[in-house]
Amino acid sequence: MKKEIRCDLCNNEIKEFLDLGNQPLANKYPKKEEFKDEDYFPLKVLFCESCKNVQLGHKVSRNLMFEEYFYLSSVNKGLVRYFEGLAEQLKDSEFLLDIGSNDGIFLRELKKIGVKCLGVDPADVAKLANKEGLTTIISFFNKDCVNQIIEEYGKPDCITCSSTFTHLENPHQFIKDMKELISEKGKIILEVEYIGNFIKNIQFERFYLDRIFYYSVTSLKSLFEQYDMDIVDVEEIDVHGGALKITIYNSSQNKQLTQRTIDWLKKEENELTVEILTGFKDVVKENIDLFKNKLQEYKDQGLKVAGYGSPARLSCICNYGNIDESLIKFTVDDSPLKCGRFTPGTHIPIVSKEELEKYDPDLIIMFAYEYFEDIKRKLNKPYKFLLPIPPKEIEKELEEDINFGDNITF
C-alpha cells in the first residue's frame, strides 16, 4: 500500500502531479573532472488541495546545496534596478535585516541612502559583500544567528527576504526565528516566485531541487496565521519572471488586509485546483518534446546554435529533455564564477561573451529571458533568438524590435 504523504505546511494529504525525473543540483556547475561525482535526486512535485501549497517530494540537505554556490545577484542589471527602487521604498527603516543577501546587491543600495542594514547569507559569495564593506553574517538564519543579531545590533524594524523563503527546508522554524527577532511594530517583506505563474505560463523549468516550496497567497496566509502573523499586502513584481512581494505584520498590530490581497485569495480558489494541476504534466511533456525537436531540426540543417545564460532553469530543461552539447554548442554567462565550468548533468560548456562573438552562431537560445533587453544591449550585432518558454510580452517586443527567427510559443 502506497504511503500517504503529508503537506509540510498544514499536515493535510498532498499528492504528486508532476515528475521531472532524476535531476542534479541546478546551481552546482561542475568542472570536467567533477562529472563523475555529480549527485542526482528525484524531482517530483506535489500539491496540497487544502492550503494550496506546492512542494517537492524529495528534500536535499541545505548544507549540501549552499556550501558552494555560484549565483551572483549583481550581474543581473534588472535586479540591480529593482533593488534600487526597493531601497527607496524602505528608506525610513531604522534598522533593516536582509536574509539571503547574496553578494550584497540590496545592502549596497541601502548603504548609499544611509539606511542601517545587515545581511545574512550562508554562501561563500557573502565574502564578496564583506570585502566591499557591506556587513554580512555568513551563516544560515537560525536561532544562534538571531541571538547574535540581537546582542550585537538590536532588533530590526524591517526584515526582507528576497527569493530565499522558497529554499527553506523548515519554514516553520524560520518564521519562529523571524518573529522572535522583529521589533514589536516591525514588518517582514518576503519575495517569492509565484506558483500561479508557473502553471499559467507552463514554467516547469522553475521547479528544481534548490527550492522545496512553491507558494500561493493561500498557503502563505495559512502558514503565517499559525504563528499569529498576518499577510496584509500582496504586490505582483516583475522579477524572476513574475513574483509576489508579501508584507507581513504581527497579528497584535491589527492591520487590515488590502483589497488586492483579498482579490488574490479569491482568484486562487478557481485557478489553483487539482483539475488544473493534473493536466499540467501532459502539457509539460508536449512542450519539452517540441523544444528538443526544434533543436534537432537546427542540427540537421547544419545551423550553429549557442545559449545565453546558465540559470537553474537551464539545468531543469536540459536534464528533463536530455539536451546536451550535441544540440547546444555552449552557453554564455556573465558570472565569472561559472565560466570555464559546465551545466549540471548535461555538461554544456559555459563560456564568456567573447566566445559567442568568435563562434558567431546562427541562433541563440535565450535561457535568461527575463533579462533579454539587458543582454541584447551587450551584444555587438543582431542575432536570431529562440526562447524555450517566452512570456507573451517579451515575444511581442522581439517581433517588433529584431529580425526574429523561429520561435516556440508555449
Side-chain angles (χ1 to χ4, degrees):
M1 185 174 180
K2 194 171 181 180
K3 184 180 177 182
E4 185 179 90
I5 305 174
R6 314 299 293 184
C7 172
D8 284 342
L9 301 190
C10 72
N11 202 38
N12 284 296
E13 185 180 5
I14 190 167
K15 295 183 178 179
E16 178 186 319
F17 70 91
L18 181 64
D19 184 350
L20 293 170
N22 287 335
Q23 294 263 356
L25 300 179
N27 276 300
K28 298 291 187 184
Y29 299 88
K31 298 176 183 177
K32 188 169 291 187
E33 61 269 23
E34 296 170 335
F35 289 175
K36 63 182 185 302
D37 297 322
E38 276 189 290
D39 293 318
Y40 293 78
F41 306 90
L43 185 55
K44 297 182 178 183
V45 193
L46 296 77
F47 176 64
C48 174
E49 188 174 8
S50 178
C51 76
K52 300 190 184 297
N53 168 44
V54 172
Q55 68 179 62
L56 300 188
H58 182 86
K59 297 180 184 178
V60 178
S61 164
R62 303 295 93 181
N63 290 324
L64 176 61
M65 192 76 67
F66 294 109
E67 65 185 5
E68 189 177 24
Y69 199 64
F70 293 93
Y71 180 70
L72 292 177
S73 299
S74 296
V75 302
N76 294 326
K77 300 307 178 187
L79 272 183
V80 172
R81 289 192 296 270
Y82 170 74
F83 281 112
E84 286 175 351
L86 184 61
E88 183 63 26
Q89 292 175 29
L90 301 177
K91 64 183 178 182
D92 294 330
S93 302
E94 295 180 8
F95 171 33
L96 187 149
L97 175 71
D98 187 32
I99 303 174
S101 50
N102 197 256
D103 61 358
I105 184 173
F106 187 34
L107 301 177
R108 187 178 302 114
E109 302 308 322
L110 292 166
K111 187 176 180 180
K112 284 179 184 177
I113 59 176
V115 176
K116 178 185 175 183
C117 57
L118 174 70
V120 174
D121 199 291
D124 281 349
V125 294
K127 294 177 182 177
L128 300 175
N130 278 321
K131 285 181 181 178
E132 195 179 328
L134 305 170
T135 307
T136 305
I137 298 174
I138 302 178
S139 166
F140 285 99
F141 181 74
N142 52 29
K143 178 68 173 174
D144 289 342
C145 184
V146 167
N147 291 338
Q148 179 184 351
I149 293 168
I150 292 174
E151 182 178 340
E152 296 181 11
Y153 302 93
K155 291 194 169 189
D157 64 323
C158 183
I159 295 176
T160 57
C161 184
S162 177
S163 195
T164 298
F165 197 68
T166 53
H167 294 271
L168 301 175
E169 194 169 356
N170 187 348
H172 292 276
Q173 186 59 50
F174 192 87
I175 293 171
K176 290 177 186 177
D177 291 336
M178 285 197 299
K179 186 177 176 67
E180 180 179 345
L181 180 59
I182 193 76
S183 65
E184 185 179 351
K185 298 296 183 182
K187 65 181 176 183
I188 296 169
I189 296 177
L190 293 184
E191 293 174 3
V192 296
E193 292 79 4
Y194 181 52
I195 182 58
N197 289 340
F198 293 10
I199 304 304
K200 180 179 68 175
N201 298 324
I202 324 297
Q203 292 177 311
F204 70 90
E205 84 281 12
R206 291 188 176 273
F207 295 114
Y208 47 91
L209 294 158
D210 290 39
R211 297 174 180 157
I212 297 171
F213 296 97
Y214 301 83
Y215 291 102
S216 63
V217 177
T218 305
S219 66
L220 285 169
K221 181 175 183 293
S222 169
L223 177 60
F224 276 89
E225 283 178 348
Q226 296 174 46
Y227 301 96
D228 296 320
M229 303 192 83
D230 297 327
I231 288 177
V232 172
D233 189 41
V234 178
E235 178 185 355
E236 191 163 19
I237 55 177
D238 187 25
V239 294
H240 303 298
L244 298 181
K245 184 171 77 172
I246 313 288
T247 305
I248 302 155
Y249 295 87
N250 278 313
S251 299
S252 60
Q253 295 194 52
N254 294 315
K255 298 281 187 179
Q256 295 296 310
L257 273 66
T258 61
Q259 184 58 49
R260 60 186 176 187
T261 304
I262 296 169
D263 292 342
W264 273 107
L265 293 167
K266 289 180 178 177
K267 178 182 178 183
E268 289 179 354
E269 291 178 9
N270 299 319
E271 294 186 2
L272 287 178
T273 66
V274 171
E275 293 74 21
I276 288 174
L277 270 72
T278 299
F280 188 67
K281 174 176 65 177
D282 293 336
V283 177
V284 168
K285 182 65 168 63
E286 177 184 340
N287 282 296
I288 195 66
D289 288 345
L290 179 62
F291 178 49
K292 186 173 183 179
N293 290 342
K294 204 67 173 174
L295 291 176
Q296 186 62 51
E297 286 180 23
Y298 295 143
K299 181 179 179 179
D300 294 344
Q301 294 168 16
L303 298 179
K304 295 191 294 185
V305 177
Y308 206 111
S310 57
R313 76 177 70 95
L314 179 152
S315 177
C316 183
I317 290 172
C318 291
N319 282 281
Y320 181 56
N322 194 26
I323 296 165
D324 58 19
E325 187 180 358
S326 68
L327 294 175
I328 301 173
K329 180 72 172 177
F330 57 73
T331 191
V332 173
D333 201 275
D334 295 322
S335 170
L337 297 183
K338 295 180 184 178
C339 290
R341 293 176 177 263
F342 295 80
T343 63
T346 53
H347 304 150
I348 298 168
I350 304 172
V351 303
S352 66
K353 183 170 69 72
E354 288 70 29
E355 293 300 315
L356 182 78
E357 294 167 357
K358 292 177 187 175
Y359 186 59
D360 194 23
D362 298 298
L363 185 130
I364 296 174
I365 311 299
M366 185 58 68
F367 287 108
Y369 54 78
E370 67 264 47
Y371 305 112
F372 174 78
E373 288 300 326
D374 289 319
I375 291 170
K376 188 175 63 174
R377 281 191 286 270
K378 296 176 183 178
L379 302 178
N380 294 325
K381 59 170 285 188
Y383 289 95
K384 292 184 179 180
F385 294 89
L386 175 71
L387 282 71
I389 306 176
K392 290 295 183 183
E393 63 271 17
I394 292 180
E395 179 183 280
K396 183 173 183 292
E397 290 172 9
L398 287 170
E399 289 172 349
E400 292 175 350
D401 197 48
I402 64 171
N403 180 21
F404 187 62
D406 290 324
N407 180 52
I408 296 174
T409 301
F410 288 172

